[in-house]
PDB file of all heavy atoms in Angstrom:
ATOM      1  N   ASP X2106      27.048  63.350  -7.626  1.00 95.00           N
ATOM      2  CA  ASP X2106      28.476  63.481  -7.938  1.00 95.00           C
ATOM      3  C   ASP X2106      29.113  62.113  -8.151  1.00 95.00           C
ATOM      4  O   ASP X2106      29.945  61.929  -9.056  1.00 95.00           O
ATOM      5  CB  ASP X2106      29.200  64.230  -6.820  1.00 95.00           C
ATOM      6  CG  ASP X2106      28.775  65.693  -6.738  1.00 95.00           C
ATOM      7  OD1 ASP X2106      28.212  66.194  -7.739  1.00 95.00           O
ATOM      8  OD2 ASP X2106      28.992  66.314  -5.677  1.00 95.00           O
ATOM      9  N   GLU X2107      28.740  61.180  -7.307  1.00 95.00           N
ATOM     10  CA  GLU X2107      29.277  59.823  -7.436  1.00 95.00           C
ATOM     11  C   GLU X2107      28.842  59.205  -8.767  1.00 95.00           C
ATOM     12  O   GLU X2107      29.625  58.517  -9.432  1.00 95.00           O
ATOM     13  CB  GLU X2107      28.778  58.969  -6.263  1.00 95.00           C
ATOM     14  CG  GLU X2107      29.434  57.605  -6.166  1.00 95.00           C
ATOM     15  CD  GLU X2107      28.959  56.826  -4.953  1.00 95.00           C
ATOM     16  OE1 GLU X2107      28.391  57.454  -4.020  1.00 95.00           O
ATOM     17  OE2 GLU X2107      29.158  55.595  -4.931  1.00 95.00           O
ATOM     18  N   ALA X2108      27.591  59.470  -9.161  1.00 94.00           N
ATOM     19  CA  ALA X2108      27.090  58.951 -10.435  1.00 94.00           C
ATOM     20  C   ALA X2108      27.873  59.538 -11.598  1.00 94.00           C
ATOM     21  O   ALA X2108      28.240  58.823 -12.555  1.00 94.00           O
ATOM     22  CB  ALA X2108      25.604  59.269 -10.579  1.00 94.00           C
ATOM     23  N   ASP X2109      28.159  60.840 -11.534  1.00 94.00           N
ATOM     24  CA  ASP X2109      28.889  61.491 -12.619  1.00 94.00           C
ATOM     25  C   ASP X2109      30.307  60.947 -12.731  1.00 94.00           C
ATOM     26  O   ASP X2109      30.793  60.664 -13.837  1.00 94.00           O
ATOM     27  CB  ASP X2109      28.919  62.999 -12.375  1.00 94.00           C
ATOM     28  CG  ASP X2109      29.588  63.746 -13.514  1.00 94.00           C
ATOM     29  OD1 ASP X2109      29.075  63.668 -14.648  1.00 94.00           O
ATOM     30  OD2 ASP X2109      30.631  64.376 -13.278  1.00 94.00           O
ATOM     31  N   ALA X2110      30.963  60.786 -11.588  1.00 94.00           N
ATOM     32  CA  ALA X2110      32.329  60.254 -11.594  1.00 94.00           C
ATOM     33  C   ALA X2110      32.367  58.822 -12.121  1.00 94.00           C
ATOM     34  O   ALA X2110      33.310  58.423 -12.830  1.00 94.00           O
ATOM     35  CB  ALA X2110      32.908  60.309 -10.182  1.00 94.00           C
ATOM     36  N   PHE X2111      31.333  58.062 -11.801  1.00 94.00           N
ATOM     37  CA  PHE X2111      31.280  56.668 -12.266  1.00 94.00           C
ATOM     38  C   PHE X2111      31.033  56.600 -13.769  1.00 94.00           C
ATOM     39  O   PHE X2111      31.669  55.817 -14.488  1.00 94.00           O
ATOM     40  CB  PHE X2111      30.168  55.918 -11.522  1.00 94.00           C
ATOM     41  CG  PHE X2111      29.859  54.562 -12.100  1.00 94.00           C
ATOM     42  CD1 PHE X2111      30.677  53.476 -11.851  1.00 94.00           C
ATOM     43  CD2 PHE X2111      28.743  54.376 -12.918  1.00 94.00           C
ATOM     44  CE1 PHE X2111      30.402  52.230 -12.402  1.00 94.00           C
ATOM     45  CE2 PHE X2111      28.455  53.144 -13.464  1.00 94.00           C
ATOM     46  CZ  PHE X2111      29.289  52.061 -13.211  1.00 94.00           C
ATOM     47  N   LEU X2112      30.132  57.442 -14.258  1.00 93.00           N
ATOM     48  CA  LEU X2112      29.654  57.293 -15.636  1.00 93.00           C
ATOM     49  C   LEU X2112      30.606  57.902 -16.664  1.00 93.00           C
ATOM     50  O   LEU X2112      30.668  57.418 -17.809  1.00 93.00           O
ATOM     51  CB  LEU X2112      28.277  57.949 -15.767  1.00 93.00           C
ATOM     52  CG  LEU X2112      27.369  57.466 -16.905  1.00 93.00           C
ATOM     53  CD1 LEU X2112      27.194  55.965 -16.851  1.00 93.00           C
ATOM     54  CD2 LEU X2112      26.021  58.172 -16.830  1.00 93.00           C
ATOM     55  N   THR X2113      31.380  58.917 -16.286  1.00 94.00           N
ATOM     56  CA  THR X2113      32.206  59.639 -17.265  1.00 94.00           C
ATOM     57  C   THR X2113      33.148  58.729 -18.059  1.00 94.00           C
ATOM     58  O   THR X2113      33.183  58.799 -19.298  1.00 94.00           O
ATOM     59  CB  THR X2113      32.997  60.755 -16.569  1.00 94.00           C
ATOM     60  OG1 THR X2113      32.068  61.704 -16.029  1.00 94.00           O
ATOM     61  CG2 THR X2113      33.941  61.450 -17.550  1.00 94.00           C
ATOM     62  N   PRO X2114      33.934  57.867 -17.421  1.00 92.00           N
ATOM     63  CA  PRO X2114      34.840  57.020 -18.230  1.00 92.00           C
ATOM     64  C   PRO X2114      34.097  56.054 -19.151  1.00 92.00           C
ATOM     65  O   PRO X2114      34.600  55.715 -20.222  1.00 92.00           O
ATOM     66  CB  PRO X2114      35.651  56.257 -17.173  1.00 92.00           C
ATOM     67  CG  PRO X2114      34.859  56.349 -15.920  1.00 92.00           C
ATOM     68  CD  PRO X2114      34.140  57.652 -15.973  1.00 92.00           C
ATOM     69  N   HIS X2115      32.897  55.637 -18.765  1.00 91.00           N
ATOM     70  CA  HIS X2115      32.135  54.718 -19.618  1.00 91.00           C
ATOM     71  C   HIS X2115      31.536  55.443 -20.810  1.00 91.00           C
ATOM     72  O   HIS X2115      31.420  54.869 -21.901  1.00 91.00           O
ATOM     73  CB  HIS X2115      31.051  54.027 -18.783  1.00 91.00           C
ATOM     74  CG  HIS X2115      31.593  53.322 -17.581  1.00 91.00           C
ATOM     75  ND1 HIS X2115      32.583  52.379 -17.679  1.00 91.00           N
ATOM     76  CD2 HIS X2115      31.313  53.445 -16.255  1.00 91.00           C
ATOM     77  CE1 HIS X2115      32.892  51.932 -16.472  1.00 91.00           C
ATOM     78  NE2 HIS X2115      32.135  52.576 -15.587  1.00 91.00           N
ATOM     79  N   GLU X2116      31.195  56.722 -20.627  1.00 92.00           N
ATOM     80  CA  GLU X2116      30.740  57.536 -21.755  1.00 92.00           C
ATOM     81  C   GLU X2116      31.873  57.682 -22.777  1.00 92.00           C
ATOM     82  O   GLU X2116      31.651  57.557 -23.996  1.00 92.00           O
ATOM     83  CB  GLU X2116      30.290  58.916 -21.268  1.00 92.00           C
ATOM     84  CG  GLU X2116      29.023  58.895 -20.433  1.00 92.00           C
ATOM     85  CD  GLU X2116      28.716  60.259 -19.829  1.00 92.00           C
ATOM     86  OE1 GLU X2116      29.672  61.029 -19.584  1.00 92.00           O
ATOM     87  OE2 GLU X2116      27.528  60.538 -19.608  1.00 92.00           O
ATOM     88  N   GLU X2117      33.074  57.922 -22.274  1.00 92.00           N
ATOM     89  CA  GLU X2117      34.224  58.095 -23.159  1.00 92.00           C
ATOM     90  C   GLU X2117      34.540  56.796 -23.897  1.00 92.00           C
ATOM     91  O   GLU X2117      34.834  56.812 -25.105  1.00 92.00           O
ATOM     92  CB  GLU X2117      35.433  58.560 -22.353  1.00 92.00           C
ATOM     93  CG  GLU X2117      35.257  59.948 -21.737  1.00 92.00           C
ATOM     94  CD  GLU X2117      36.391  60.318 -20.793  1.00 92.00           C
ATOM     95  OE1 GLU X2117      37.251  59.435 -20.537  1.00 92.00           O
ATOM     96  OE2 GLU X2117      36.409  61.466 -20.307  1.00 92.00           O
ATOM     97  N   LEU X2118      34.471  55.667 -23.191  1.00 92.00           N
ATOM     98  CA  LEU X2118      34.762  54.377 -23.822  1.00 92.00           C
ATOM     99  C   LEU X2118      33.727  54.056 -24.905  1.00 92.00           C
ATOM    100  O   LEU X2118      34.079  53.562 -25.986  1.00 92.00           O
ATOM    101  CB  LEU X2118      34.790  53.268 -22.770  1.00 92.00           C
ATOM    102  CG  LEU X2118      35.151  51.868 -23.277  1.00 92.00           C
ATOM    103  CD1 LEU X2118      36.553  51.856 -23.893  1.00 92.00           C
ATOM    104  CD2 LEU X2118      35.055  50.844 -22.145  1.00 92.00           C
ATOM    105  N   ALA X2119      32.466  54.342 -24.624  1.00 91.00           N
ATOM    106  CA  ALA X2119      31.414  54.089 -25.614  1.00 91.00           C
ATOM    107  C   ALA X2119      31.643  54.927 -26.870  1.00 91.00           C
ATOM    108  O   ALA X2119      31.440  54.454 -28.003  1.00 91.00           O
ATOM    109  CB  ALA X2119      30.041  54.391 -25.014  1.00 91.00           C
ATOM    110  N   ARG X2120      32.092  56.194 -26.700  1.00 93.00           N
ATOM    111  CA  ARG X2120      32.388  57.046 -27.857  1.00 93.00           C
ATOM    112  C   ARG X2120      33.585  56.506 -28.627  1.00 93.00           C
ATOM    113  O   ARG X2120      33.586  56.466 -29.862  1.00 93.00           O
ATOM    114  CB  ARG X2120      32.637  58.485 -27.415  1.00 93.00           C
ATOM    115  CG  ARG X2120      31.369  59.258 -27.055  1.00 93.00           C
ATOM    116  CD  ARG X2120      31.670  60.757 -26.966  1.00 93.00           C
ATOM    117  NE  ARG X2120      32.633  61.055 -25.902  1.00 93.00           N
ATOM    118  CZ  ARG X2120      32.308  61.324 -24.645  1.00 93.00           C
ATOM    119  NH1 ARG X2120      31.032  61.325 -24.276  1.00 93.00           N
ATOM    120  NH2 ARG X2120      33.248  61.597 -23.750  1.00 93.00           N
TER     121      ARG X2120
END
Side-chain angles (χ1 to χ4, degrees):
D2106 292 341
E2107 189 177 342
D2109 184 61
F2111 169 78
L2112 203 54
T2113 297
H2115 305 305
E2116 292 173 331
E2117 295 173 354
L2118 183 61
R2120 284 194 297 270

